[in-house]
Coordinates of all heavy atoms in Angstrom, one line a residue:
M1272 N -23.0 64.9 41.8 CA -23.2 63.6 41.2 C -24.1 62.8 42.1 O -24.0 62.7 43.3 CB -21.9 62.8 41.2 CG -21.6 62.3 39.8 SD -20.2 61.3 39.8 CE -19.4 62.0 38.5
E1273 N -25.1 62.1 41.5 CA -26.0 61.3 42.2 C -25.6 59.9 42.2 O -25.2 59.3 41.2 CB -27.4 61.4 41.6 CG -28.1 62.8 41.8 CD -29.5 62.8 41.2 OE1 -30.1 61.7 41.2 OE2 -29.9 63.8 40.7
T1274 N -25.8 59.3 43.4 CA -25.5 57.8 43.5 C -26.8 57.1 43.1 O -27.9 57.5 43.5 CB -25.0 57.4 44.9 OG1 -26.0 57.8 45.8 CG2 -23.7 58.1 45.2
P1275 N -26.7 56.0 42.4 CA -27.9 55.2 42.1 C -28.5 54.7 43.3 O -27.8 54.3 44.3 CB -27.4 54.1 41.2 CG -25.9 54.0 41.4 CD -25.4 55.4 41.9
S1276 N -29.8 54.7 43.3 CA -30.5 54.2 44.5 C -30.4 52.6 44.5 O -30.3 52.0 43.5 CB -32.0 54.5 44.4 OG -32.6 54.0 43.3
P1277 N -30.4 52.1 45.7 CA -30.2 50.6 45.8 C -31.5 49.9 45.3 O -32.6 50.5 45.3 CB -30.1 50.4 47.3 CG -30.6 51.6 48.0 CD -30.4 52.7 47.0
E1278 N -31.2 48.7 44.8 CA -32.3 48.0 44.3 C -33.4 47.7 45.3 O -33.1 47.2 46.4 CB -31.8 46.6 43.7 CG -32.8 45.7 43.2 CD -32.2 44.3 42.9 OE1 -31.0 44.2 42.8 OE2 -33.0 43.4 42.6
K1279 N -34.6 47.9 45.0 CA -35.7 47.6 45.9 C -36.2 46.2 45.7 O -36.5 45.8 44.5 CB -36.9 48.6 45.7 CG -36.7 49.9 46.3 CD -38.0 50.7 46.1 CE -38.0 51.9 47.0 NZ -39.2 52.6 47.0
G1280 N -36.3 45.4 46.7 CA -36.7 44.1 46.6 C -38.2 44.0 46.9 O -38.7 44.8 47.7
R1281 N -38.9 43.1 46.3 CA -40.3 42.9 46.6 C -40.6 41.5 47.2 O -41.6 40.9 46.9 CB -41.1 43.0 45.3 CG -40.9 44.2 44.5 CD -41.9 45.3 44.9 NE -41.8 46.4 44.0 CZ -41.6 47.6 44.5 NH1 -41.4 47.9 45.8 NH2 -41.5 48.7 43.7
V1282 N -39.7 41.1 48.1 CA -39.8 39.8 48.7 C -41.1 39.6 49.5 O -41.8 38.7 49.3 CB -38.5 39.5 49.6 CG1 -38.7 38.2 50.3 CG2 -37.3 39.5 48.8
G1283 N -41.3 40.6 50.3 CA -42.5 40.5 51.2 C -43.8 40.5 50.3 O -44.8 39.8 50.6
L1284 N -43.9 41.4 49.3 CA -45.0 41.4 48.4 C -45.3 40.1 47.7 O -46.4 39.6 47.6 CB -44.9 42.6 47.5 CG -46.1 42.8 46.5 CD1 -47.3 43.2 47.3 CD2 -45.7 43.9 45.5
V1285 N -44.2 39.5 47.2 CA -44.3 38.3 46.5 C -44.8 37.2 47.4 O -45.8 36.4 47.0 CB -43.0 37.9 45.8 CG1 -43.0 36.4 45.3 CG2 -42.6 38.8 44.7
L1286 N -44.3 37.1 48.6 CA -44.7 36.1 49.5 C -46.2 36.3 50.0 O -47.0 35.4 50.1 CB -43.8 36.0 50.8 CG -42.4 35.5 50.5 CD1 -41.5 35.7 51.7 CD2 -42.5 34.0 50.1
L1287 N -46.5 37.6 50.2 CA -47.9 37.9 50.6 C -48.9 37.5 49.6 O -50.0 37.0 49.9 CB -48.0 39.4 51.0 CG -49.3 39.9 51.6 CD1 -49.5 39.2 52.9 CD2 -49.3 41.4 51.7
I1288 N -48.6 37.8 48.3 CA -49.5 37.5 47.3 C -49.7 36.0 47.1 O -50.8 35.5 47.0 CB -49.1 38.1 45.9 CG1 -49.2 39.6 46.0 CG2 -49.8 37.5 44.7 CD1 -48.6 40.3 44.8
N1289 N -48.6 35.2 47.2 CA -48.7 33.8 47.1 C -49.5 33.2 48.3 O -50.3 32.3 48.1 CB -47.3 33.2 47.0 CG -46.8 33.2 45.6 OD1 -47.2 32.4 44.8 ND2 -45.8 34.1 45.4
L1290 N -49.2 33.6 49.5 CA -49.9 33.1 50.7 C -51.4 33.5 50.6 O -52.2 32.7 51.0 CB -49.3 33.6 51.9 CG -47.9 33.0 52.3 CD1 -47.4 33.7 53.5 CD2 -48.1 31.5 52.5
G1291 N -51.7 34.7 50.1 CA -53.1 35.1 49.9 C -53.8 34.1 48.9 O -55.0 33.7 49.2
I1292 N -53.2 33.8 47.8 CA -53.8 32.9 46.9 C -54.0 31.5 47.5 O -55.0 30.9 47.3 CB -52.9 32.8 45.6 CG1 -52.9 34.1 44.8 CG2 -53.4 31.6 44.7 CD1 -52.0 34.2 43.7
I1293 N -53.0 31.0 48.3 CA -53.2 29.7 48.9 C -54.3 29.7 49.9 O -55.1 28.8 50.0 CB -51.8 29.4 49.6 CG1 -50.8 29.1 48.6 CG2 -52.0 28.2 50.5 CD1 -49.4 28.9 49.2
V1294 N -54.5 30.8 50.7 CA -55.6 30.9 51.6 C -56.9 30.9 50.9 O -57.8 30.2 51.3 CB -55.4 32.1 52.5 CG1 -56.7 32.4 53.3 CG2 -54.2 32.0 53.5
V1295 N -57.0 31.6 49.8 CA -58.3 31.7 49.1 C -58.6 30.3 48.5 O -59.7 29.8 48.5 CB -58.2 32.7 47.9 CG1 -59.3 32.6 46.9 CG2 -58.2 34.1 48.5
L1296 N -57.6 29.6 48.0 CA -57.8 28.2 47.5 C -58.3 27.3 48.6 O -59.2 26.5 48.4 CB -56.5 27.7 46.9 CG -56.1 28.2 45.5 CD1 -54.7 27.7 45.1 CD2 -57.1 27.8 44.5
H1297 N -57.6 27.3 49.7 CA -58.0 26.4 50.8 C -59.4 26.7 51.3 O -60.2 25.8 51.6 CB -57.0 26.5 52.0 CG -55.8 25.6 51.8 ND1 -55.9 24.2 51.8 CD2 -54.5 25.9 51.5 CE1 -54.7 23.7 51.6 NE2 -53.8 24.7 51.4
V1298 N -59.7 28.0 51.5 CA -61.1 28.4 52.0 C -62.1 28.0 50.9 O -63.2 27.5 51.3 CB -61.1 29.9 52.3 CG1 -62.5 30.4 52.6 CG2 -60.3 30.2 53.6
G1299 N -61.8 28.3 49.7 CA -62.7 27.9 48.6 C -63.0 26.4 48.5 O -64.1 26.0 48.3
R1300 N -61.9 25.7 48.7 CA -62.1 24.2 48.7 C -63.0 23.8 49.9 O -63.8 22.9 49.7 CB -60.7 23.5 48.8 CG -60.9 22.0 48.8 CD -59.6 21.3 48.9 NE -59.1 21.6 50.3 CZ -58.0 21.1 50.7 NH1 -57.3 20.3 50.0 NH2 -57.6 21.4 51.9
Q1301 N -62.8 24.3 51.0 CA -63.6 23.9 52.2 C -65.0 24.3 52.0 O -65.9 23.6 52.5 CB -63.0 24.6 53.5 CG -61.6 24.0 53.8 CD -61.6 22.5 54.1 OE1 -62.5 22.0 54.7 NE2 -60.5 21.9 53.6
L1302 N -65.3 25.5 51.4 CA -66.7 25.9 51.2 C -67.4 25.2 50.1 O -68.6 24.9 50.3 CB -66.7 27.4 50.9 CG -66.3 28.4 52.0 CD1 -66.3 29.8 51.5 CD2 -67.2 28.2 53.2
L1303 N -66.7 24.8 49.1 CA -67.4 24.2 48.0 C -67.5 22.7 48.2 O -68.5 22.1 48.2 CB -66.6 24.5 46.6 CG -66.6 25.9 46.2 CD1 -65.8 26.1 45.0 CD2 -68.0 26.4 46.0
D1304 N -66.3 22.0 48.2 CA -66.3 20.6 48.4 C -65.0 20.2 49.0 O -63.9 20.3 48.4 CB -66.5 19.9 47.1 CG -66.6 18.4 47.2 OD1 -66.8 17.9 48.3 OD2 -66.5 17.7 46.1
S1305 N -65.0 19.7 50.2 CA -63.8 19.4 51.0 C -63.1 18.1 50.4 O -61.9 17.9 50.8 CB -64.1 19.1 52.4 OG -64.9 18.0 52.6
N1306 N -63.6 17.4 49.5 CA -63.0 16.3 48.9 C -62.1 16.6 47.7 O -61.4 15.8 47.2 CB -64.0 15.2 48.5 CG -64.7 14.6 49.7 OD1 -64.0 14.5 50.8 ND2 -65.9 14.2 49.6
E1307 N -62.2 17.9 47.2 CA -61.4 18.3 46.1 C -60.0 18.5 46.5 O -59.7 19.0 47.6 CB -62.0 19.6 45.5 CG -63.3 19.4 44.7 CD -63.1 18.5 43.5 OE1 -62.1 18.7 42.8 OE2 -63.9 17.7 43.2
S1308 N -59.1 18.1 45.6 CA -57.6 18.3 45.9 C -57.2 19.5 45.1 O -57.5 19.7 43.9 CB -56.8 17.1 45.5 OG -55.5 17.4 45.7
I1309 N -56.4 20.4 45.7 CA -55.8 21.6 45.0 C -54.3 21.4 44.8 O -53.6 22.3 44.5 CB -56.1 22.8 45.8 CG1 -55.6 22.8 47.2 CG2 -57.6 23.2 45.8 CD1 -55.7 24.1 48.0
F1310 N -53.9 20.1 44.9 CA -52.4 19.9 44.8 C -51.9 20.3 43.4 O -50.8 20.9 43.3 CB -52.1 18.4 45.0 CG -50.7 18.1 44.8 CD1 -49.8 18.5 45.8 CD2 -50.2 17.3 43.8 CE1 -48.4 18.2 45.6 CE2 -48.9 17.0 43.6 CZ -48.0 17.4 44.5
L1311 N -52.6 20.0 42.3 CA -52.1 20.4 41.0 C -52.0 21.9 40.8 O -51.1 22.4 40.2 CB -53.0 19.8 39.9 CG -52.9 18.2 39.8 CD1 -53.8 17.7 38.7 CD2 -51.5 17.9 39.4
I1312 N -53.0 22.6 41.4 CA -52.9 24.1 41.3 C -51.7 24.6 42.1 O -51.0 25.5 41.6 CB -54.2 24.7 41.8 CG1 -55.4 24.3 41.0 CG2 -54.1 26.2 41.9 CD1 -56.8 24.7 41.5
L1313 N -51.5 24.0 43.3 CA -50.3 24.4 44.1 C -49.0 24.1 43.4 O -48.0 24.8 43.4 CB -50.4 23.8 45.5 CG -51.6 24.4 46.3 CD1 -51.6 23.6 47.7 CD2 -51.4 25.8 46.6
F1314 N -49.0 22.9 42.8 CA -47.8 22.5 42.0 C -47.5 23.5 40.9 O -46.4 23.9 40.6 CB -47.9 21.1 41.5 CG -46.7 20.6 40.8 CD1 -45.6 20.2 41.5 CD2 -46.7 20.5 39.4 CE1 -44.4 19.8 40.9 CE2 -45.5 20.0 38.8 CZ -44.4 19.7 39.5
G1315 N -48.6 23.8 40.2 CA -48.5 24.8 39.1 C -48.0 26.2 39.5 O -47.1 26.8 38.9
M1316 N -48.5 26.6 40.7 CA -48.0 27.9 41.3 C -46.5 27.8 41.6 O -45.8 28.7 41.4 CB -48.8 28.2 42.5 CG -50.2 28.8 42.3 SD -51.1 29.1 43.8 CE -50.0 30.2 44.7
S1317 N -46.1 26.6 42.2 CA -44.7 26.5 42.5 C -43.8 26.5 41.3 O -42.8 27.1 41.3 CB -44.5 25.1 43.3 OG -43.2 24.9 43.6
F1318 N -44.3 25.9 40.2 CA -43.5 25.8 39.0 C -43.4 27.3 38.4 O -42.4 27.7 37.9 CB -44.2 24.9 38.0 CG -43.5 24.8 36.7 CD1 -42.3 24.1 36.5 CD2 -44.0 25.5 35.5 CE1 -41.6 24.0 35.4 CE2 -43.3 25.4 34.3 CZ -42.1 24.7 34.2
L1319 N -44.6 28.0 38.4 CA -44.6 29.4 37.9 C -43.6 30.3 38.7 O -42.9 31.1 38.2 CB -46.0 29.9 38.0 CG -46.1 31.4 37.5 CD1 -45.8 31.5 36.0 CD2 -47.6 31.8 37.8
N1320 N -43.6 30.1 40.0 CA -42.7 30.9 40.9 C -41.3 30.5 40.6 O -40.4 31.4 40.6 CB -43.0 30.6 42.4 CG -44.2 31.5 42.8 OD1 -44.3 32.6 42.5 ND2 -45.1 30.8 43.6
G1321 N -41.0 29.2 40.3 CA -39.7 28.8 40.0 C -39.2 29.4 38.7 O -38.0 29.9 38.5
M1322 N -40.1 29.5 37.7 CA -39.7 30.1 36.4 C -39.5 31.7 36.6 O -38.6 32.2 36.0 CB -40.8 29.9 35.4 CG -41.0 28.5 34.9 SD -39.5 27.9 34.0 CE -38.8 26.8 35.2
L1323 N -40.4 32.3 37.4 CA -40.2 33.7 37.7 C -38.9 34.0 38.4 O -38.3 35.0 38.2 CB -41.4 34.3 38.4 CG -42.7 34.4 37.6 CD1 -43.9 34.7 38.4 CD2 -42.5 35.4 36.5
F1324 N -38.5 33.0 39.3 CA -37.2 33.1 40.0 C -36.1 33.2 39.0 O -35.2 34.1 39.1 CB -37.1 32.0 41.0 CG -35.7 31.7 41.4 CD1 -35.0 32.6 42.2 CD2 -35.0 30.6 41.0 CE1 -33.7 32.4 42.6 CE2 -33.7 30.3 41.3 CZ -33.0 31.2 42.2
L1325 N -36.1 32.3 38.0 CA -35.0 32.2 37.1 C -35.0 33.5 36.2 O -34.0 34.0 35.9 CB -35.2 31.0 36.2 CG -34.9 29.7 36.9 CD1 -35.2 28.5 35.9 CD2 -33.5 29.6 37.4
L1326 N -36.2 34.0 35.8 CA -36.3 35.2 35.0 C -35.8 36.4 35.7 O -35.0 37.2 35.2 CB -37.8 35.4 34.6 CG -38.1 36.7 33.8 CD1 -37.5 36.5 32.4 CD2 -39.5 37.0 33.7
M1327 N -36.1 36.5 37.0 CA -35.7 37.7 37.8 C -34.2 37.6 38.0 O -33.5 38.6 38.1 CB -36.4 37.8 39.1 CG -37.8 38.1 39.0 SD -38.0 39.8 38.4 CE -39.5 39.7 37.5
L1328 N -33.7 36.4 38.2 CA -32.2 36.2 38.4 C -31.4 36.6 37.1 O -30.4 37.2 37.2 CB -32.0 34.7 38.8 CG -30.6 34.4 39.4 CD1 -30.5 35.1 40.7 CD2 -30.5 32.9 39.6
V1329 N -32.0 36.2 36.0 CA -31.3 36.5 34.7 C -31.3 38.0 34.4 O -30.4 38.6 33.9 CB -31.9 35.7 33.6 CG1 -31.5 36.2 32.2 CG2 -31.6 34.2 33.7
T1330 N -32.4 38.6 34.8 CA -32.6 40.1 34.5 C -31.8 40.9 35.5 O -31.8 42.1 35.3 CB -34.0 40.5 34.4 OG1 -34.7 40.2 35.7 CG2 -34.8 39.8 33.3
G1331 N -31.3 40.4 36.6 CA -30.5 41.1 37.5 C -31.2 41.6 38.7 O -30.7 42.4 39.5
K1332 N -32.4 41.2 38.9 CA -33.2 41.6 40.1 C -33.1 40.6 41.2 O -34.0 39.8 41.4 CB -34.7 41.9 39.7 CG -34.8 43.0 38.7 CD -36.2 43.2 38.3 CE -36.3 44.3 37.3 NZ -37.7 44.6 36.9
R1333 N -32.0 40.5 41.8 CA -31.6 39.5 42.8 C -32.5 39.4 44.0 O -32.9 38.4 44.5 CB -30.2 39.6 43.2 CG -29.2 39.3 42.0 CD -27.8 39.1 42.6 NE -26.9 39.0 41.5 CZ -26.6 37.8 40.9 NH1 -27.2 36.7 41.3 NH2 -25.8 37.7 39.9
K1334 N -32.9 40.6 44.5 CA -33.7 40.6 45.7 C -35.1 40.1 45.4 O -35.7 39.4 46.2 CB -33.8 42.0 46.3 CG -32.5 42.5 46.9 CD -32.7 43.8 47.6 CE -31.4 44.2 48.2 NZ -31.5 45.6 48.8
T1335 N -35.7 40.5 44.3 CA -37.0 40.0 43.9 C -37.0 38.5 43.6 O -37.9 37.8 43.9 CB -37.6 40.8 42.7 OG1 -37.5 42.2 43.0 CG2 -39.0 40.4 42.4
S1336 N -35.9 38.1 43.0 CA -35.8 36.7 42.7 C -35.8 35.8 43.9 O -36.3 34.7 44.0 CB -34.5 36.4 41.8 OG -33.3 36.6 42.6
L1337 N -35.2 36.3 45.0 CA -35.2 35.6 46.3 C -36.6 35.4 46.8 O -37.0 34.3 47.3 CB -34.4 36.4 47.3 CG -34.4 35.8 48.7 CD1 -33.7 34.4 48.8 CD2 -33.8 36.7 49.7
G1338 N -37.5 36.4 46.6 CA -38.9 36.3 47.0 C -39.6 35.2 46.2 O -40.4 34.4 46.7
F1339 N -39.3 35.1 44.9 CA -40.0 34.0 44.1 C -39.4 32.7 44.4 O -40.1 31.7 44.4 CB -39.8 34.3 42.6 CG -40.7 35.4 42.0 CD1 -40.2 36.6 41.6 CD2 -42.0 35.2 42.0 CE1 -41.0 37.6 41.1 CE2 -42.9 36.2 41.5 CZ -42.4 37.4 41.1
F1340 N -38.1 32.6 44.8 CA -37.6 31.3 45.2 C -38.2 30.8 46.5 O -38.6 29.7 46.6 CB -36.0 31.4 45.4 CG -35.4 30.2 45.8 CD1 -35.2 29.1 45.0 CD2 -34.9 30.1 47.1 CE1 -34.6 27.9 45.4 CE2 -34.3 28.9 47.6 CZ -34.1 27.9 46.7
L1341 N -38.3 31.7 47.5 CA -38.9 31.4 48.7 C -40.4 31.0 48.6 O -40.9 30.1 49.2 CB -38.8 32.5 49.7 CG -37.4 32.8 50.2 CD1 -37.3 34.0 51.1 CD2 -36.8 31.6 51.0
A1342 N -41.1 31.7 47.7 CA -42.5 31.4 47.4 C -42.6 30.1 46.8 O -43.6 29.3 47.1 CB -43.1 32.5 46.5
A1343 N -41.7 29.7 45.8 CA -41.8 28.4 45.2 C -41.6 27.3 46.2 O -42.4 26.3 46.2 CB -40.7 28.3 44.1
L1344 N -40.7 27.4 47.1 CA -40.4 26.4 48.1 C -41.6 26.3 49.1 O -42.1 25.2 49.4 CB -39.2 26.7 48.9 CG -37.8 26.5 48.2 CD1 -36.7 26.9 49.1 CD2 -37.7 25.1 47.8
L1345 N -42.1 27.5 49.5 CA -43.3 27.5 50.4 C -44.5 26.8 49.8 O -45.2 26.0 50.4 CB -43.6 28.9 50.8 CG -44.7 29.1 51.8 CD1 -44.2 28.6 53.2 CD2 -45.0 30.6 52.0
V1346 N -44.8 27.2 48.6 CA -46.0 26.7 47.9 C -45.8 25.2 47.7 O -46.8 24.4 47.8 CB -46.3 27.4 46.6 CG1 -47.4 26.7 45.8 CG2 -46.7 28.8 46.9
F1347 N -44.6 24.7 47.3 CA -44.4 23.3 47.1 C -44.5 22.5 48.4 O -45.2 21.4 48.4 CB -42.9 23.1 46.5 CG -42.7 21.8 45.9 CD1 -43.4 21.5 44.7 CD2 -41.9 20.9 46.4 CE1 -43.2 20.2 44.1 CE2 -41.7 19.6 45.8 CZ -42.3 19.3 44.7
I1348 N -44.0 23.0 49.5 CA -44.2 22.3 50.8 C -45.7 22.3 51.2 O -46.2 21.3 51.7 CB -43.3 23.0 51.8 CG1 -41.9 22.7 51.6 CG2 -43.7 22.5 53.2 CD1 -40.9 23.5 52.4
I1349 N -46.4 23.4 51.0 CA -47.8 23.4 51.3 C -48.6 22.4 50.4 O -49.5 21.8 50.8 CB -48.4 24.8 51.2 CG1 -47.8 25.7 52.3 CG2 -49.9 24.8 51.2 CD1 -48.1 27.2 52.2
G1350 N -48.1 22.3 49.2 CA -48.8 21.4 48.2 C -48.6 19.9 48.7 O -49.5 19.1 48.6
F1351 N -47.4 19.6 49.1 CA -47.2 18.2 49.6 C -48.0 18.0 50.9 O -48.5 16.9 51.1 CB -45.7 18.0 49.9 CG -45.0 17.4 48.7 CD1 -43.9 18.1 48.2 CD2 -45.4 16.3 48.0 CE1 -43.2 17.6 47.1 CE2 -44.7 15.8 46.9 CZ -43.6 16.5 46.4
G1352 N -48.1 19.0 51.7 CA -48.9 18.8 52.9 C -50.4 18.6 52.6 O -51.1 17.8 53.2
D1353 N -50.8 19.4 51.6 CA -52.2 19.2 51.1 C -52.5 17.8 50.6 O -53.5 17.2 50.8 CB -52.5 20.3 50.1 CG -53.9 20.1 49.5 OD1 -54.9 20.3 50.3 OD2 -54.1 19.8 48.3
C1354 N -51.5 17.3 49.8 CA -51.6 16.0 49.2 C -51.6 14.9 50.3 O -52.4 14.0 50.3 CB -50.5 15.7 48.3 SG -50.6 14.2 47.4
A1355 N -50.8 15.1 51.3 CA -50.7 14.1 52.4 C -52.0 14.1 53.2 O -52.5 13.1 53.6 CB -49.5 14.4 53.3
T1356 N -52.6 15.3 53.4 CA -53.8 15.4 54.2 C -54.9 14.8 53.4 O -55.8 14.1 53.9 CB -54.1 16.9 54.5 OG1 -53.0 17.4 55.3 CG2 -55.4 17.0 55.3
H1357 N -55.0 15.1 52.1 CA -56.1 14.6 51.3 C -56.1 13.1 51.1 O -57.1 12.5 51.1 CB -56.0 15.3 49.9 CG -57.1 14.9 49.0 ND1 -58.4 15.3 49.2 CD2 -57.2 14.2 47.9 CE1 -59.2 14.9 48.2 NE2 -58.4 14.2 47.4
L1358 N -54.9 12.6 51.1 CA -54.8 11.1 50.9 C -54.6 10.4 52.2 O -54.4 9.1 52.3 CB -53.6 10.8 50.0 CG -53.6 11.3 48.6 CD1 -52.3 11.0 47.9 CD2 -54.8 10.7 47.9
N1359 N -54.8 11.1 53.4 CA -54.7 10.5 54.7 C -53.4 9.7 54.9 O -53.4 8.6 55.3 CB -55.9 9.6 55.0 CG -57.2 10.3 54.9 OD1 -57.3 11.5 55.3 ND2 -58.2 9.7 54.4
L1360 N -52.3 10.4 54.6 CA -51.0 9.7 54.7 C -50.3 9.8 56.1 O -49.2 9.3 56.3 CB -50.0 10.3 53.6 CG -50.4 10.0 52.2 CD1 -49.4 10.7 51.3 CD2 -50.5 8.5 51.9
G1361 N -50.9 10.5 57.0 CA -50.3 10.6 58.3 C -51.3 11.2 59.3 O -52.5 11.4 59.0
N1362 N -50.8 11.5 60.5 CA -51.6 12.1 61.5 C -51.7 13.6 61.4 O -51.1 14.3 62.2 CB -51.1 11.7 62.9 CG -51.3 10.2 63.2 OD1 -52.2 9.6 62.7 ND2 -50.4 9.7 64.0
M1363 N -52.3 14.1 60.4 CA -52.4 15.5 60.1 C -53.8 16.0 60.4 O -54.1 17.2 60.1 CB -52.0 15.8 58.7 CG -50.5 15.5 58.4 SD -50.2 16.1 56.8 CE -48.4 16.0 56.8
H1364 N -54.6 15.2 60.9 CA -56.0 15.6 61.1 C -56.2 16.1 62.6 O -55.9 15.5 63.5 CB -57.0 14.5 60.8 CG -56.9 14.0 59.4 ND1 -57.3 14.8 58.4 CD2 -56.4 12.9 58.9 CE1 -57.1 14.2 57.2 NE2 -56.6 13.0 57.5

């Protein structure tokens, strides 16, 4: 009798892809026009990661859902940091 293989989580892959997109957005913003804000794009990414978290949780892929949850929190925090930097709300320069 074979035992079922344990569920493989894609936490690292999900976080790596999200961080890669964030780096590309920040570098692209700096190269094109440093006055552009990418907060709405980051907020949209956070929302999408949140929806994917719920979808993975409902389908039973708990380890992968953890990756999407962490990615949503990370992107949301980076988005607020980007907004604060863009609007000069603190000593972030």
